[in-house]
Amino acid sequence: MAENGKQADFVLCVGDDRSDEDMFEIISSSISRNILSANSSVFACTVGQKPSKAKYYLDDTTEVISMLESLAEESDSSPDLEEIGDSFQRQSKAWAMHIGITKVNIL
């Protein structure tokens, strides 16, 4: 995408151990470093409730699977992303809460 001058509009990172913390740190600063567009929706989720640089957490792998299944269902029922346009940014945050990443990691 970057080679074509495009940036991602949706990023989901999920990890469950210490090695994923670097990913969470990089992705959370990617908008301020102009790696991603200011319009990008970025969701970093750690698996398990523990101190993390991820903003959200999922309790276990069952919740990860459920969230991914919901993402796939929503993706199948949604119109083409180009048609969504500016509303995608607003909808994605509400959608994230709908599919299960409602817990904010404040540990």
Side-chain angles (χ1 to χ4, degrees):
M1 288 180 67
E3 291 174 1
N4 295 328
K6 296 182 180 179
Q7 294 178 320
D9 54 8
F10 180 87
V11 178
L12 173 64
C13 299
V14 179
D16 67 351
D17 66 31
R18 170 61 198 112
S19 63
D20 298 313
E21 292 301 312
D22 295 336
M23 170 182 62
F24 297 144
E25 183 175 15
I26 290 168
I27 203 65
S28 65
S29 66
S30 60
I31 292 175
S32 64
R33 293 178 24 225
N34 292 323
I35 295 170
L36 292 173
S37 163
N39 294 328
S40 297
S41 296
V42 178
F43 299 95
C45 303
T46 189
V47 181
Q49 191 174 6
K50 59 188 171 269
S52 176
K53 294 175 183 169
K55 183 174 180 181
Y56 302 98
Y57 74 92
L58 296 160
D59 284 326
D60 52 34
T61 55
T62 302
E63 282 195 357
V64 173
I65 291 167
S66 177
M67 184 265 308
L68 292 172
E69 288 172 344
S70 296
L71 174 60
E73 288 173 14
E74 190 66 27
S75 182
D76 287 342
S77 66
S78 295
D80 184 18
L81 287 181
E82 289 181 23
E83 294 175 21
I84 294 175
D86 293 335
S87 67
F88 182 74
Q89 174 70 17
R90 292 186 305 275
Q91 292 173 353
S92 61
K93 288 186 172 77
W95 169 84
M97 292 173 58
H98 171 72
I99 63 167
I101 52 176
T102 59
K103 304 163 188 152
V104 176
N105 187 358
I106 55 173
L107 298 174

